[in-house]
Amino acid sequence: DKIGSILPVVIGFSLSIISFLLLLTLNEHSTILELVVYYTIMGIGIAFAQAPINKVVMSIVSINNKTSASSILTLFRSMGIAMASSYGSIILSLSIPEGLLTNTIIRGSGIPEFLTGMDNIFIFGIILLAVMLLLMIRVKIKVKDRKSIIGKL
């Protein structure tokens, strides 16, 4: 409560963007340690953002609607996970030529195309995170205090 809810979300989204930028540097010579470190940064960023978002939503809704709000938050989180997997698969498959979408990637001949596809996924993630970050900053500027939000509900 001392630092508010917006700052941790901005920090979380920023860490996630940094992790995606780091993931863009991966190549066929990258190590498992690099993957672990970059994905750990992403996990920390997501953790920083998720709890304050839940807190803000739950503090805005009336006591009668808290159960519904919690359910909707869970629904949207689940939809986001499903959509991320779907869009990631689409982007990856569109990045790899049709002839390589067989077991040639496993044998190693399609690694550059696979990495290009992963880069495209990371770029898509960076764009989405940047939009969310800008929206959070805009919310901070527009919303002066919590009472102005509660008064609208």
Side-chain angles (χ1 to χ4, degrees):
D1 285 340
K2 291 181 181 179
I3 61 170
S5 297
I6 301 293
L7 182 60
V9 174
V10 170
I11 291 170
F13 286 158
S14 298
L15 283 173
S16 296
I17 289 172
I18 290 167
S19 73
F20 276 112
L21 290 170
L22 290 170
L23 287 165
L24 281 171
T25 67
L26 296 176
N27 58 43
E28 59 269 13
H29 305 292
S30 298
T31 65
I32 297 292
L33 180 62
E34 288 174 293
L35 279 172
V36 169
V37 169
Y38 299 166
Y39 277 112
T40 300
I41 294 169
M42 182 190 302
I44 292 169
I46 291 169
F48 258 87
Q50 188 173 344
I53 289 173
N54 292 346
K55 182 179 180 252
V56 167
V57 170
M58 297 309 281
S59 69
I60 292 172
V61 298
S62 67
I63 191 80
N64 298 335
N65 294 323
K66 288 202 184 289
T67 304
S68 297
S70 177
S71 299
I72 290 170
L73 280 170
T74 303
L75 172 69
F76 275 98
R77 190 175 306 115
S78 298
M79 285 174 49
I81 292 167
M83 289 172 58
S85 299
S86 299
Y87 285 125
S89 298
I90 290 168
I91 292 169
L92 184 60
S93 66
L94 290 174
S95 301
I96 300 172
E98 189 175 332
L100 291 176
L101 286 176
T102 59
N103 62 359
T104 57
I105 291 176
I106 297 169
R107 293 185 187 141
S109 61
I111 290 175
E113 291 83 0
F114 175 79
L115 291 174
T116 299
M118 293 303 293
D119 286 349
N120 291 339
I121 293 171
F122 300 143
I123 291 168
F124 182 67
I126 290 169
I127 292 167
L128 291 178
L129 285 166
V131 168
M132 290 189 290
L133 183 61
L134 291 173
L135 288 173
M136 287 304 300
I137 292 170
R138 182 178 170 104
V139 165
K140 183 176 181 179
I141 292 169
K142 281 193 154 190
V143 178
K144 298 292 182 191
D145 60 354
R146 204 177 86 163
K147 292 179 184 177
S148 65
I149 297 173
I150 294 173
K152 293 178 184 178
L153 297 177

